[in-house]
Every structure is written in structure tokens, then in C-alpha cells.
Amino acid sequence: MHYHIVIKADNWDSVLLPLDDNTLALSIQVRVFLQKIEPSERREFGKLSCDGNGNVKDLETGNKYLLDPWSQTEWQKFPNEFKTIVTRYWDNQFDLIPNKPWYKSPKGLTAAKINCGLAVDIVNPAPQNAHAKFMVFNTKKIPKLIRSHTQIGVKPQVGFINKDDTKLEWLNWLPHIYRKEHILTKINGQSHAVDYLHNTLAHEFGHVLGLEHVSGNTNKTTSYGEENIYDADSMMGMGIAMREKFSDPWIKRLDRHLVRQNSDDAKVKFSGKVKTPQLLGFWDNGEVKHVGNDNWIFKRMFGQ
Ligand SMILES: [Zn+2]
């Protein structure tokens, strides 16, 4: 089996290099342009309309947000924070394991595994050649942060994020500010009130990598994994834990690097494995009971 060392593509570039007889590294390289949005900005970004006085309105939901100006230091620090967070959560998280020997090493054919790498290159100040563009709003926490989202299937991909999305925070089980329903999670089939550790930027970058929500491609809580805690407590759910299926971007890209030359090569398949044990990133407040309308109450309050 042969392989291409470099692939350049619209969504990102990638490099496949041998490290030793039993290991290769596949690094995804994403060029990112960061656009600072100031309160004085008067324009529309998709469904977000900025009035030039720091007011932003979501034309779809009617939600309103307020912007703060960026200080020079805040903006100078931001690209580095962006890079640090994205690589902390996505670089070197998976190994791809082959089902049979495939790699022609000096010692013969080996079942070499692939390390999955991720590098971010911030291309500011020039947006040319960026694979992804992020609009960064310095949104006031009150009334609320803009709902971060990523437009995929456009070139470059465009993300809308808040300055504070780089922070690790608790996602509370109480009704989400953008939705009416409570975020409840099924544990052993019962509804529980669960809080999650969450990093919005790391989650949004998962979308840039082409990943959908853990259990469907919508913005409803079912897509975020409310039916089971294992899905919900994951990066493309509501938490930060990595799951095997999030290695998909590397598996797909590896397939383009490999040049399969015969029927034996065609049988080689890789599966993703999370490299390190994943800590639990949630706090279970307890089982809840529906008591009518939009109201839920802790079961323990009934003495059960
Ligand atoms: Zn999402």
C-alpha cells in the first residue's frame, strides 16, 4: 500500500508521516481567520443583525444581545486562547487501529497505528486561504450570550462565537436560555437533572471538523444525547468527553491518503480508539418527576 504524504482540500489540509515502524502521524491542519466584531459594527451576519450601537438581534428567534467593545489586550490574547483550547481538546486524542498489517516498514509489513493530530494556524490579519472563519462577539453575559453556531457546507466554514466560549463552564440542567424545555438526561431509563462541564469553542470546532451532534443533526436536546448519559456527557453532546466516533474526520481523511493497490489493501480498515481514559464531566443532581406543565420536581422531595 502506498500513501499520499500531503493532501490539500477546501475543508482542511492534512499530512501523513511515519514516526517509526509501528506508528504514523496523521495531522489535520486547519487555517482559521478570526474576525473581531465591535459594537460599532452595523451589518447582518446571517440571521444576526447588528445595529451599530452594540445591539444584536437574532432575526429568527427575536433574541436580543448586547456587545462590549474589545480592549486591545483582550483581542491580542484571543488567537492564542483559541489555539490552546482547540488543540487541548482535539489534538492527539485518538489512535486509529488497523484490522491487519498494512504498512511497508524496513522490517516488513506491520499493523502500524495512526496518531491523530490537529494543528490550528491563525491566518490573521489576512482572511485569504482560511478553511474556517470565526466571528467573535464580546457579548455581555446579561441578558445572555449569543447562541454559538457553525455554518457548515460553505467555503470557508463560518463560526459565530462569544469571547467567553473559550472557558470551561457548567451547563445547567435548568431550562436552557434558548429553549423552553429542561435539559433532562435519562439514567437507567429515568429522567435526571444533570449538570455538564462544557467548552463551547471545543464543541463548535467539532462541527468545523465535520462532526454532527452525538445523536442527530438538530438543535433539539435529543440530538445532544438526552436519552442516555454516555452520549450526553460527550463533546458533541453537552459535555467534554471524547468518544470513538469523534475520530471520524481522521478515518475519512486517512482513506484519501491511502492508495490501495490490490485486494489485500482493500481489506484494511481502521477503527478509532480514544487514547486516554475520559473523566466523568457531569454532576447528577438526582431523579426528577414531572408534576405538570413545564414543571419538574426532585423525586427525593416525595421521600422516595
Ligand atoms: Zn453544536
Side-chain angles (χ1 to χ4, degrees):
M1 176 129 59
H2 286 304
Y3 60 88
H4 301 293
I5 295 173
V6 177
I7 291 182
K8 288 178 186 285
D10 283 343
N11 51 353
W12 55 72
D13 298 341
S14 54
V15 180
L16 180 63
L17 286 172
L19 298 177
D20 59 46
D21 295 341
N22 295 298
T23 324
L24 286 86
L26 173 61
S27 179
I28 285 179
Q29 312 199 309
V30 189
R31 285 190 299 273
V32 173
F33 176 72
L34 297 171
Q35 180 156 357
K36 174 179 67 162
I37 309 297
E38 291 284 7
S40 56
E41 200 92 45
R42 191 176 166 184
R43 55 185 276 204
E44 277 181 19
F45 300 96
K47 56 184 186 146
L48 295 175
S49 168
C50 305
D51 75 349
N53 293 311
N55 303 296
V56 180
K57 192 176 172 190
D58 185 321
L59 299 173
E60 217 172 83
T61 62
N63 286 329
K64 287 177 183 158
Y65 314 97
L66 297 172
L67 300 184
D68 269 332
W70 286 81
S71 79
Q72 207 185 347
T73 339
E74 282 170 338
W75 183 246
Q76 270 168 0
K77 273 163 48 183
F78 191 79
N80 212 23
E81 276 170 29
F82 184 100
K83 232 171 124 156
T84 306
I85 292 302
V86 170
T87 48
R88 178 182 304 159
Y89 287 102
W90 287 104
D91 180 36
N92 207 19
Q93 296 299 305
F94 312 100
D95 278 330
L96 306 185
I97 312 292
N99 60 346
K100 63 201 289 289
W102 66 278
Y103 175 63
K104 277 182 204 146
S105 80
K107 287 185 189 152
L109 217 55
T110 68
K113 65 174 183 183
I114 314 272
N115 286 347
C116 299
L118 179 88
V120 173
D121 202 3
I122 307 285
V123 297
N124 285 35
Q128 287 88 358
N129 305 320
H131 295 114
K133 199 159 107 176
F134 278 85
M135 308 293 175
V136 198
F137 296 82
N138 188 3
T139 321
K140 283 188 202 281
K141 281 226 168 82
I142 296 171
K144 54 194 155 199
L145 294 180
I146 288 171
R147 184 170 187 181
S148 307
H149 57 285
T150 305
Q151 283 176 357
I152 48 175
V154 290
K155 315 261 177 244
Q157 307 188 67
V158 188
F160 298 83
I161 54 171
N162 303 283
K163 177 178 122 273
D164 288 338
D165 286 354
T166 54
K167 301 207 164 60
L168 188 63
E169 54 190 5
W170 282 102
L171 197 64
N172 206 270
W173 71 276
L174 288 170
H176 197 280
I177 47 175
Y178 309 106
R179 319 178 184 113
K180 272 203 211 121
E181 75 268 39
H182 293 259
I183 302 177
L184 294 172
T185 311
K186 295 264 170 69
I187 298 181
N188 300 324
Q190 306 301 325
S191 292
H192 282 238
V194 181
D195 296 337
Y196 297 91
L197 272 176
H198 181 79
N199 185 289
T200 302
L201 173 59
H203 173 98
E204 290 307 319
F205 206 85
H207 290 311
V208 169
L209 291 175
L211 293 168
E212 296 179 347
H213 289 145
V214 66
S215 152
N217 191 24
T218 74
N219 285 326
K220 301 221 169 73
T221 49
T222 45
S223 286
Y224 290 86
E226 67 171 0
E227 289 302 315
N228 72 77
I229 189 77
Y230 183 78
D231 276 350
D233 183 30
S234 78
M235 182 60 84
M236 299 317 288
M238 292 182 267
I240 48 171
M242 280 302 169
R243 301 291 180 238
E244 281 170 13
K245 56 178 162 185
F246 304 155
S247 62
D248 245 32
W250 285 267
I251 291 192
K252 283 186 189 149
R253 180 49 66 92
L254 178 64
D255 215 47
R256 285 179 64 182
H257 277 274
L258 300 180
V259 183
R260 298 172 193 270
Q261 295 164 300
N262 52 50
S263 60
D264 243 17
D265 287 353
K267 287 179 199 146
V268 179
K269 288 202 167 54
F270 290 82
S271 50
K273 195 169 163 280
V274 181
K275 286 181 88 140
T276 51
Q278 300 293 295
L279 303 175
L280 293 184
F282 67 90
W283 179 260
D284 181 8
N285 296 286
E287 194 177 337
V288 288
K289 211 176 144 72
H290 191 212
V291 292
N293 293 326
D294 192 27
N295 301 315
W296 297 76
I297 192 164
F298 285 108
K299 214 172 166 186
R300 57 176 177 265
M301 296 175 116
F302 288 96
Q304 285 169 357

